Amino acid sequence: MTLPGTPTTPAGTRTSRRDLRAFTALVAGYAVSTFGNFVNLVALNLYAYHLTGSALQTGVLMAVRLATGFLAGPVAGRLVTRRDRRAVMVVTDLGQAASMIALLVTPSTMHSWVLYPVAAVLGAGNTVFTVALRTSVPEMVGAEDRVRGNGYLLTGKSVAMVLGFASAGPLVGGIGFPAAFAVNAGSFLVSAAVLVRSPLSFRRSADVGHRPSGSVSSRSVSSESAGPKPAAAGLRTVRVLLAGPPIVAAMVALRGVDAWGSASHNVALPLLATDMDPGNPAAVLSQFWTAWAVGTLLIQAVALRSPRAGRSLDERAFAIAACVMSLAFVAAFTAPPAPLLVATALVAGMADGFTELAYSSRLQAAPDDVRGILFGASASVETLGFATGMFASGVVLDHVAPLPVVVVGHGLVVAAAAAFLLLARTRWRAPDRAVAAPPDQPGRSGQPGQSGRA
């Protein structure tokens, strides 16, 4: 059984052993670059504060990074639809590596100015790379194995996140900022080399143009204007979202609310850790995030081993998992004993990993020429939600305790997910069935297994 809207390949939909080995190698390269990203996330902000001594300028640097990531979303969706995705990913890796090398070769007296274009390149590059990678998964592993492919990617990301956060402190404290920047540059170069050598296909030309009548494809939208300009790309992205099934647009919106709520616990966790263990708050943070990462790995293990896992990855399960994740984070901020804190972080990680799998797999069910635009829209919405959530939480936390802030942030996620479930059960059920043909029957376009929009 597959999700509604799942495209099938003419030559079969299962992953060959050769392709699986190649995809595993690609995941390893992605994990290396992700490791470098998390090292950089810690090191670059610390370096900005070290140079300027200003929390405001450090915040501006993060704002630049988030803003360019937000603006790059629609452009990325357009770019990966029209261009060679492998080339796009390699160029973004090389661009990010060059930005880190610039910090290593330019005089330190210039760094207070160089940091801002570096942050812009990193923000935009990460968005474009992520959109291209997520969009390519069904082509690299086959439509039927996209859940498994997403599981591999999320496993690599989770391991890299833990190692990156754990390594950033020793690298910066023991060797210095240049070591962290060199590691980050090297990680991007490793990722680019793996991509260049990968035998995988990142796009099937047969997918392009097989669109149901009455649907909006990237080609029909592209006739309005040429070139991936941010404003025009944003308008086209909105049009594609509105033209597709309402449930897909609602999933993207819920993902943005989820990011807004997640920002509240990210900002408040250091305060919680300090309250729980004033002498060693870093230990509390380490325990929490390690347990969270273990939870994401556990849910990936279940998804990778269970042949029935894909059946549960539908829109409703996505919303339910978002509720579970939010409730687990709220429970963590009641300052429970250490074992219960670890348990709630574990549950939050499992639910978070499940939402990631369900969400990515559902958007990947869209045809090739629309999938990139959906992921580009998602990247912008998630970045906007996280950025505004961090700002709002940071302002409020100066006056309010962490628990109420997290309750409000994740309470909105629970409310949005409940509304999503209600509408998915009533108003959106019939339209979604009308658009998506069953996977074992001809779609409205006349292609075997082709569905309607998204």
Side-chain angles (χ1 to χ4, degrees), residues 165-202:
F165 278 145
S167 303
L171 270 174
V172 172
I175 306 177
F177 290 107
F181 299 151
V183 166
N184 195 201
S187 70
F188 288 127
L189 294 176
V190 168
S191 175
V194 171
L195 286 166
V196 169
R197 294 181 59 84
S198 176
L200 293 170
S201 172
F202 290 75

Short mmCIF file of all heavy atoms in Angstrom, two decimals, residues 165-202:
data_model
loop_
_atom_site.label_atom_id
_atom_site.label_comp_id
_atom_site.label_asym_id
_atom_site.label_seq_id
_atom_site.Cartn_x
_atom_site.Cartn_y
_atom_site.Cartn_z
N PHE A 165 27.31 18.72 17.75
CA PHE A 165 27.18 19.50 18.98
C PHE A 165 28.22 19.08 20.02
O PHE A 165 28.78 19.91 20.73
CB PHE A 165 25.78 19.33 19.57
CG PHE A 165 24.75 20.22 18.93
CD1 PHE A 165 23.44 19.79 18.77
CD2 PHE A 165 25.07 21.49 18.50
CE1 PHE A 165 22.48 20.62 18.19
CE2 PHE A 165 24.12 22.33 17.92
CZ PHE A 165 22.83 21.89 17.77
N ALA A 166 28.48 17.77 20.09
CA ALA A 166 29.44 17.28 21.08
C ALA A 166 30.87 17.69 20.73
O ALA A 166 31.70 17.91 21.62
CB ALA A 166 29.36 15.76 21.18
N SER A 167 31.18 17.83 19.43
CA SER A 167 32.55 18.13 19.01
C SER A 167 32.84 19.61 18.97
O SER A 167 34.02 20.00 19.02
CB SER A 167 32.80 17.54 17.61
OG SER A 167 32.58 16.16 17.59
N ALA A 168 31.82 20.45 18.85
CA ALA A 168 32.05 21.88 18.67
C ALA A 168 32.80 22.47 19.85
O ALA A 168 33.76 23.24 19.67
CB ALA A 168 30.72 22.60 18.47
N GLY A 169 32.40 22.10 21.08
CA GLY A 169 33.06 22.65 22.26
C GLY A 169 34.53 22.30 22.34
O GLY A 169 35.38 23.18 22.47
N PRO A 170 34.88 20.99 22.26
CA PRO A 170 36.30 20.63 22.29
C PRO A 170 37.11 21.24 21.15
O PRO A 170 38.27 21.62 21.35
CB PRO A 170 36.26 19.10 22.18
CG PRO A 170 34.93 18.71 22.73
CD PRO A 170 34.01 19.81 22.33
N LEU A 171 36.52 21.33 19.94
CA LEU A 171 37.25 21.90 18.82
C LEU A 171 37.59 23.37 19.07
O LEU A 171 38.73 23.81 18.91
CB LEU A 171 36.42 21.78 17.54
CG LEU A 171 36.60 20.51 16.70
CD1 LEU A 171 35.60 20.50 15.55
CD2 LEU A 171 38.02 20.41 16.17
N VAL A 172 36.56 24.14 19.48
CA VAL A 172 36.76 25.56 19.70
C VAL A 172 37.61 25.80 20.93
O VAL A 172 38.56 26.60 20.91
CB VAL A 172 35.40 26.29 19.82
CG1 VAL A 172 35.61 27.74 20.24
CG2 VAL A 172 34.65 26.22 18.50
N GLY A 173 37.28 25.09 22.02
CA GLY A 173 38.00 25.32 23.27
C GLY A 173 39.41 24.78 23.26
O GLY A 173 40.33 25.39 23.83
N GLY A 174 39.62 23.62 22.61
CA GLY A 174 40.93 22.99 22.65
C GLY A 174 41.87 23.43 21.55
O GLY A 174 43.08 23.51 21.75
N ILE A 175 41.34 23.70 20.35
CA ILE A 175 42.20 24.02 19.21
C ILE A 175 41.98 25.45 18.73
O ILE A 175 42.91 26.14 18.35
CB ILE A 175 41.96 23.02 18.05
CG1 ILE A 175 42.13 21.58 18.55
CG2 ILE A 175 42.92 23.29 16.90
CD1 ILE A 175 41.85 20.54 17.50
N GLY A 176 40.72 25.88 18.71
CA GLY A 176 40.44 27.24 18.30
C GLY A 176 39.40 27.30 17.19
O GLY A 176 39.04 26.28 16.59
N PHE A 177 38.92 28.51 16.93
CA PHE A 177 37.90 28.70 15.90
C PHE A 177 38.36 28.25 14.51
O PHE A 177 37.58 27.67 13.76
CB PHE A 177 37.47 30.17 15.86
CG PHE A 177 36.66 30.59 17.05
CD1 PHE A 177 37.20 31.41 18.02
CD2 PHE A 177 35.35 30.16 17.21
CE1 PHE A 177 36.46 31.80 19.13
CE2 PHE A 177 34.59 30.54 18.31
CZ PHE A 177 35.15 31.36 19.27
N PRO A 178 39.62 28.53 14.10
CA PRO A 178 40.03 28.09 12.76
C PRO A 178 39.86 26.59 12.55
O PRO A 178 39.52 26.16 11.43
CB PRO A 178 41.51 28.50 12.71
CG PRO A 178 41.61 29.66 13.63
CD PRO A 178 40.66 29.34 14.75
N ALA A 179 40.08 25.78 13.60
CA ALA A 179 39.92 24.34 13.45
C ALA A 179 38.46 23.99 13.13
O ALA A 179 38.18 23.14 12.28
CB ALA A 179 40.37 23.63 14.72
N ALA A 180 37.53 24.64 13.82
CA ALA A 180 36.12 24.39 13.57
C ALA A 180 35.74 24.79 12.15
O ALA A 180 35.00 24.08 11.46
CB ALA A 180 35.27 25.14 14.59
N PHE A 181 36.25 25.94 11.68
CA PHE A 181 35.93 26.40 10.34
C PHE A 181 36.55 25.48 9.28
O PHE A 181 35.95 25.21 8.25
CB PHE A 181 36.43 27.83 10.14
CG PHE A 181 35.79 28.82 11.07
CD1 PHE A 181 36.48 29.97 11.46
CD2 PHE A 181 34.50 28.62 11.55
CE1 PHE A 181 35.88 30.88 12.32
CE2 PHE A 181 33.91 29.53 12.41
CZ PHE A 181 34.61 30.66 12.80
N ALA A 182 37.76 24.97 9.56
CA ALA A 182 38.41 24.05 8.62
C ALA A 182 37.64 22.73 8.53
O ALA A 182 37.47 22.17 7.45
CB ALA A 182 39.86 23.80 9.05
N VAL A 183 37.18 22.23 9.68
CA VAL A 183 36.38 21.01 9.68
C VAL A 183 35.10 21.21 8.87
O VAL A 183 34.71 20.34 8.07
CB VAL A 183 36.04 20.59 11.13
CG1 VAL A 183 34.93 19.54 11.15
CG2 VAL A 183 37.28 20.06 11.83
N ASN A 184 34.46 22.35 9.04
CA ASN A 184 33.23 22.63 8.31
C ASN A 184 33.49 22.71 6.81
O ASN A 184 32.74 22.14 6.00
CB ASN A 184 32.63 23.94 8.80
CG ASN A 184 31.19 24.13 8.38
OD1 ASN A 184 30.69 25.23 8.35
ND2 ASN A 184 30.50 23.05 8.02
N ALA A 185 34.54 23.41 6.40
CA ALA A 185 34.88 23.49 4.98
C ALA A 185 35.17 22.11 4.42
O ALA A 185 34.69 21.74 3.33
CB ALA A 185 36.08 24.41 4.78
N GLY A 186 35.93 21.30 5.16
CA GLY A 186 36.24 19.96 4.70
C GLY A 186 35.01 19.08 4.57
O GLY A 186 34.90 18.26 3.64
N SER A 187 34.04 19.27 5.48
CA SER A 187 32.82 18.45 5.42
C SER A 187 32.02 18.74 4.15
O SER A 187 31.47 17.83 3.54
CB SER A 187 31.96 18.71 6.66
OG SER A 187 31.39 20.00 6.64
N PHE A 188 31.98 20.00 3.73
CA PHE A 188 31.28 20.34 2.49
C PHE A 188 32.00 19.76 1.27
O PHE A 188 31.36 19.31 0.31
CB PHE A 188 31.16 21.86 2.35
CG PHE A 188 30.19 22.49 3.30
CD1 PHE A 188 30.57 23.54 4.12
CD2 PHE A 188 28.88 22.04 3.39
CE1 PHE A 188 29.67 24.13 4.99
CE2 PHE A 188 27.97 22.62 4.27
CZ PHE A 188 28.38 23.67 5.08
N LEU A 189 33.32 19.77 1.30
CA LEU A 189 34.08 19.23 0.18
C LEU A 189 33.89 17.72 0.07
O LEU A 189 33.79 17.16 -1.03
CB LEU A 189 35.56 19.57 0.33
CG LEU A 189 35.90 21.07 0.24
CD1 LEU A 189 37.39 21.28 0.51
CD2 LEU A 189 35.53 21.62 -1.13
N VAL A 190 33.82 17.02 1.22
CA VAL A 190 33.55 15.58 1.21
C VAL A 190 32.19 15.30 0.59
O VAL A 190 32.03 14.40 -0.25
CB VAL A 190 33.64 15.01 2.64
CG1 VAL A 190 33.09 13.58 2.68
CG2 VAL A 190 35.07 15.03 3.14
N SER A 191 31.18 16.07 1.01
CA SER A 191 29.83 15.89 0.47
C SER A 191 29.81 16.11 -1.04
O SER A 191 29.19 15.34 -1.79
CB SER A 191 28.86 16.85 1.16
OG SER A 191 27.57 16.78 0.59
N ALA A 192 30.48 17.15 -1.51
CA ALA A 192 30.51 17.44 -2.95
C ALA A 192 31.18 16.30 -3.71
O ALA A 192 30.72 15.89 -4.79
CB ALA A 192 31.24 18.76 -3.20
N ALA A 193 32.28 15.76 -3.16
CA ALA A 193 32.99 14.67 -3.83
C ALA A 193 32.11 13.43 -3.93
O ALA A 193 32.09 12.74 -4.96
CB ALA A 193 34.28 14.35 -3.07
N VAL A 194 31.36 13.12 -2.86
CA VAL A 194 30.46 11.96 -2.88
C VAL A 194 29.38 12.15 -3.94
O VAL A 194 29.05 11.22 -4.68
CB VAL A 194 29.84 11.75 -1.49
CG1 VAL A 194 28.74 10.68 -1.56
CG2 VAL A 194 30.90 11.33 -0.48
N LEU A 195 28.84 13.35 -4.03
CA LEU A 195 27.80 13.62 -5.02
C LEU A 195 28.32 13.47 -6.45
O LEU A 195 27.65 12.91 -7.32
CB LEU A 195 27.25 15.04 -4.82
CG LEU A 195 26.34 15.24 -3.61
CD1 LEU A 195 26.15 16.73 -3.34
CD2 LEU A 195 24.99 14.58 -3.84
N VAL A 196 29.52 13.98 -6.70
CA VAL A 196 30.10 13.90 -8.04
C VAL A 196 30.29 12.45 -8.47
O VAL A 196 30.05 12.08 -9.63
CB VAL A 196 31.43 14.67 -8.09
CG1 VAL A 196 32.18 14.38 -9.39
CG2 VAL A 196 31.17 16.18 -7.98
N ARG A 197 30.69 11.60 -7.55
CA ARG A 197 31.01 10.21 -7.87
C ARG A 197 29.79 9.29 -7.78
O ARG A 197 29.86 8.13 -8.20
CB ARG A 197 32.09 9.69 -6.92
CG ARG A 197 33.44 10.37 -7.10
CD ARG A 197 34.48 9.78 -6.15
NE ARG A 197 34.66 8.35 -6.37
CZ ARG A 197 35.44 7.80 -7.28
NH1 ARG A 197 36.13 8.59 -8.09
NH2 ARG A 197 35.55 6.49 -7.39
N SER A 198 28.68 9.77 -7.26
CA SER A 198 27.52 8.90 -7.07
C SER A 198 26.93 8.47 -8.42
O SER A 198 26.72 9.29 -9.31
CB SER A 198 26.45 9.64 -6.26
OG SER A 198 25.28 8.84 -6.15
N PRO A 199 26.63 7.18 -8.57
CA PRO A 199 26.01 6.70 -9.81
C PRO A 199 24.49 6.88 -9.83
O PRO A 199 23.83 6.53 -10.82
CB PRO A 199 26.37 5.22 -9.82
CG PRO A 199 26.40 4.85 -8.36
CD PRO A 199 26.94 6.07 -7.65
N LEU A 200 23.93 7.41 -8.75
CA LEU A 200 22.48 7.53 -8.65
C LEU A 200 21.93 8.57 -9.63
O LEU A 200 22.60 9.55 -9.96
CB LEU A 200 22.08 7.92 -7.23
CG LEU A 200 22.34 6.88 -6.13
CD1 LEU A 200 22.12 7.50 -4.76
CD2 LEU A 200 21.44 5.67 -6.32
N SER A 201 20.68 8.36 -10.03
CA SER A 201 19.97 9.35 -10.84
C SER A 201 19.18 10.26 -9.91
O SER A 201 18.48 9.78 -9.01
CB SER A 201 19.03 8.65 -11.81
OG SER A 201 18.21 9.59 -12.48
N PHE A 202 19.28 11.56 -10.11
CA PHE A 202 18.59 12.52 -9.26
C PHE A 202 17.29 13.02 -9.89
O PHE A 202 16.58 13.81 -9.29
CB PHE A 202 19.52 13.71 -8.97
CG PHE A 202 20.67 13.37 -8.07
CD1 PHE A 202 21.75 12.64 -8.56
CD2 PHE A 202 20.67 13.73 -6.74
CE1 PHE A 202 22.81 12.30 -7.73
CE2 PHE A 202 21.73 13.40 -5.91
CZ PHE A 202 22.80 12.67 -6.41
#
